[in-house]
Each structure stands twice: as structure tokens, then as C-alpha cells.
Amino acid sequence: MKLNPIRAGIAPLACLLGLVSIHFVSLHAAEQNAEGVWTSTDDPTLPADYAVQGEFVGQVEGGGKLAAQVIALGDGAFQAVLLPGGLPGAGWDGEHKILMQGSGDGAKTVFAPAAGDRRYLGKSAEEFSATSKFPPVGQKDYTAVVSDGKMMGKTDDGAAFTLKRTVRKSPTLGKKPPEGATVLFDGEAASMENFKGGRLDEQTGLLNTDGKDILTKDDFNNYVMHIEFMLPYRPAARGQGRGNSGFYQVDHYEVQVLDSFGLDGKNNECGGVYTNAEPLVNMCLPPLTWQTYDVEFTNAVVDDQGNKLSDAVMTLKHNGVVIHDKLKINGKTGGSRPAPEGTPGPIKLQGHGNPLQYRNVWILEKK
């Protein structure tokens, strides 16, 4: 289209360009919504599926305790992971699981035994398995209905069970920094001076990655640290696309941050030391729930020639439960800085294209 340079045409053209710009922004917002990424429970566009996913605890009639983790898979589809004895870190026997597949409209969701040809984290609901081995150890033909915050069902031998929704909170949420600690982020604008990158949301007081890396300006070596994070709700995403981030110790050793709710708990899932060590138990809570990492870290030790004398050692609590106990980390993980092990480094919060939110971040250096 050839533009008319006459002054009389400039104003209408500017108006038209303004409308085009507004229309582009609206389309972009629509595309973001179409991608199915939610970062707040206050978002009015949050689908009804969100109210179905979560954790449930109760009893089998005449039997023992039973719990469930219901994973949202998008478009009204779900998978329920039933756990004999209770939830992870709260009674589950650590071995047996029962998978059910469900669908519904938010008000009522019907579950039947998971069957068919399934694989770990399969894209479609029909092929998705929350366990890397399908059927898992302990699989049985259970059925259930979720409605009004309850899961009511039958075991394979006809016994009834009723599980009620529960919302677990980490016992270290809001943990205060001890004397001598450095407060890296407290929701105030001044604390942004501690970082390279990141965005302070002035309305929520939260530190946002906006999908990009955040690094502390200062380097650290041996320390105790507390951090709180919230994973986005991305029900249609799978695996590493589901809220991916990382909590890097001295920017050398990545503790994975990922929506791994209800999954096996592998080294590339939430709480895992990437490619190095699986968490002792998968303590990941549902997305859009505040979670905590509490870490005690001792850096690797090298001699004057750069030879490593001892590995980095880490004890990590996820939502108050020890998932790594004095773990020796035998090498750097991917995406770390090039400097050799044993050197002080920054704390990195990886962006990895996902909108992660952080709060209450502090660190206490060990003498």
C-alpha cells in the first residue's frame, strides 16, 4: 500500500496504526491464553479443570489409608495416582501406585482404570502415564468420581473409599532469615539491586523470571539458603515444558524446578539434581501452590593446581521434607558457568522460557 505523504492523511494513518498496534497486543494476549499458561489463582480465565486437580486423602472402608494426586492434562482430562498409605512424605509406602484415567466438566469427573498402550508423560491423555513403568507396581482396577472436593470410589474388590481434598503447605513457608543472613529478595524494589535480570511485579511483590535467567550479583561458596517458588499451571504441556526452571548452586549445580506433581521424581524433575541424582521422594505440590527449597550447601574443594579434592555436598528439603541428604555431587550440571568447580559463584534462577515466580529469598554464608 502506497502511503500518501499529504499532511491531511497523517492523522488518520496514525489512528489506523494505533488500532493495528492495539489489535496486535490483543492477539498476542489471546495467543498467550490459547497456550494455556496461568500464573495466578486469581486469574478469571483459569479453567474449571484447575479445581479438580490436587491432592486427596481418606480411608478405604474396612481398610487402610489411601491418598490420591490428580494431575490435570488439559481439555477436561485427568490422571489420578492412588497411593496406599498416604501422600508422598506423609505415609505412602514408596512403591505401590494405582492409575485411573478421568474426564469431566469440572463439576463432576469420572475415573476408570487406566488401560491401553501408555508411555511416561505421553502427549495425549489416552497415552499418558504418570509412572515410567505401565502398569505400575500395585496397579488395580479402581473407579471413582470427583465432585465437590471429594473423591468417592470403589476398589477392585468392591470396597468403598472416600477421599477429601487437602491443601498441603510447606512448614517452612515464610521462614524468617536468621541473624547474619543476607536478604536477597523481600518484595521491595531495593532488593532488585541484588540481581542481574528478573522483574519485580509491583502489584504482587513477587520476583518474576519472565522466562529469562536471574543471577545474584554477589558470589557465594558455602551457605544455608531459603527460597519460595510458584510453578505456573500448564495442563496441556508435558515433561520439560511444564514450568521449567532451575535453582543453581554457585551456578554449577542445578536443582530442577518443574511441575512434576504426581510423577516418579526423576533427576530431571522437581527436586532432582539435573542428570545427577533423583530426589529421595517427589515432594512437588500442585502448580500455583507456593513451595519451598531449604538448602545447606558446601562447595567442592580444589588444590592449588585445580585438582578436585572433594565433591560439593548438599542437603535439600523440598516443602520441609529431606529429598537429598548430604548428597555428594560428582560434577557440574548442564547450563552452568564455565569456571571450574570449587570456585565461588552466583545463585542462578533459570528462566528457560517459563514464567516462574519467587519470593522470600535469603542466604546465610557459612564460616
Side-chain angles (χ1 to χ4, degrees), residues 9 18 37 47 71 135 145 177 209 213 215 222 230 267 308 312 318 327 341 349 354 360:
V37 182
I71 306 167
V145 174
T209 65
D213 292 350
L215 291 97
N222 307 314
M230 181 186 283
N267 63 33
K308 188 164 66 168
H318 185 187
L327 174 70
E341 289 185 273
L349 305 177
N354 280 267
N360 190 23

Side-chain angles (χ1 to χ4, degrees), residues 60 66 82 98 100 113 138-144 153-161:
V60 177
L66 184 67
L82 295 176
I98 298 165
M100 298 189 301
Q139 178 70 5
K140 296 179 180 179
D141 289 345
Y142 283 28
T143 58
K154 296 280 188 180
T155 67
D156 58 330
D157 57 6
F161 61 84

Side-chain angles (χ1 to χ4, degrees), residues 14 58 70 139 158 172 229 252 269 337-338 342 348-349:
V70 177
Q139 178 70 5
T172 68
F229 63 94
H252 271 168
E269 295 177 349
R337 62 190 171 94
K348 181 167 73 179
L349 305 177

Side-chain angles (χ1 to χ4, degrees), residues 97-288:
K97 292 183 177 182
I98 298 165
L99 300 187
M100 298 189 301
Q101 200 66 24
S103 62
D105 58 6
K108 180 181 179 181
T109 306
V110 178
F111 288 87
D117 185 13
R118 295 178 179 274
R119 59 186 178 86
Y120 195 48
L121 312 184
K123 179 60 178 176
S124 70
E126 291 73 22
E127 65 177 346
F128 181 92
S129 173
T131 57
S132 52
K133 179 181 178 181
F134 183 82
V137 175
Q139 178 70 5
K140 296 179 180 179
D141 289 345
Y142 283 28
T143 58
V145 174
V146 170
S147 181
D148 297 325
K150 291 182 180 180
M151 175 183 284
M152 303 185 71
K154 296 280 188 180
T155 67
D156 58 330
D157 57 6
F161 61 84
T162 300
L163 313 182
K164 295 183 180 180
R165 176 182 294 282
T166 184
V167 179
R168 290 196 287 177
K169 293 184 178 180
S170 169
T172 68
L173 276 179
K175 188 175 182 179
K176 303 295 184 183
E179 185 177 354
T182 298
V183 176
L184 294 173
F185 182 77
D186 61 2
E188 299 296 329
S191 61
M192 293 302 295
E193 293 298 319
N194 295 319
F195 298 98
K196 301 173 185 176
R199 174 181 63 85
L200 170 66
D201 186 320
E202 295 183 356
Q203 289 188 328
T204 63
L206 302 178
L207 176 62
N208 291 255
T209 65
D210 291 337
K212 299 178 181 179
D213 292 350
I214 304 173
L215 291 97
T216 58
K217 289 182 179 178
D218 290 338
D219 290 340
F220 302 95
N221 200 39
N222 307 314
Y223 51 83
V224 173
M225 186 172 177
H226 173 85
I227 190 167
E228 302 179 9
F229 63 94
M230 181 186 283
L231 295 160
Y233 180 60
R234 302 193 64 181
R238 300 288 184 267
Q240 300 297 300
R242 202 163 164 125
N244 196 350
S245 182
F247 173 35
Y248 278 76
Q249 313 309 308
V250 299
D251 197 13
H252 271 168
Y253 314 102
E254 179 185 6
V255 175
Q256 181 80 320
V257 178
L258 185 74
D259 176 13
S260 306
F261 173 63
L263 304 182
D264 279 352
K266 298 187 178 298
N267 63 33
N268 65 345
E269 295 177 349
C270 204
V273 179
Y274 199 75
T275 70
N276 190 294
E278 296 180 354
L280 297 174
V281 61
N282 179 10
M283 282 304 301
C284 190
L285 297 178
L288 299 188

Side-chain angles (χ1 to χ4, degrees), residues 24-83:
F24 173 78
V25 171
S26 299
L27 280 176
H28 180 67
E31 288 170 0
Q32 288 292 97
N33 193 46
E35 288 176 1
V37 182
W38 290 269
T39 59
S40 172
T41 56
D42 295 327
D43 189 332
T45 70
L46 199 64
D49 290 11
Y50 177 76
V52 179
Q53 62 101 54
E55 297 187 316
F56 299 76
V57 179
Q59 295 281 141
V60 177
E61 189 177 64
K65 190 174 181 180
L66 184 67
Q69 294 183 312
V70 177
I71 306 167
L73 301 176
D75 296 326
F78 304 87
Q79 188 158 104
V81 184
L82 295 176
L83 304 163

Side-chain angles (χ1 to χ4, degrees), residues 84-99:
L87 292 167
W92 175 49
D93 67 16
E95 181 180 9
H96 297 88
K97 292 183 177 182
I98 298 165
L99 300 187

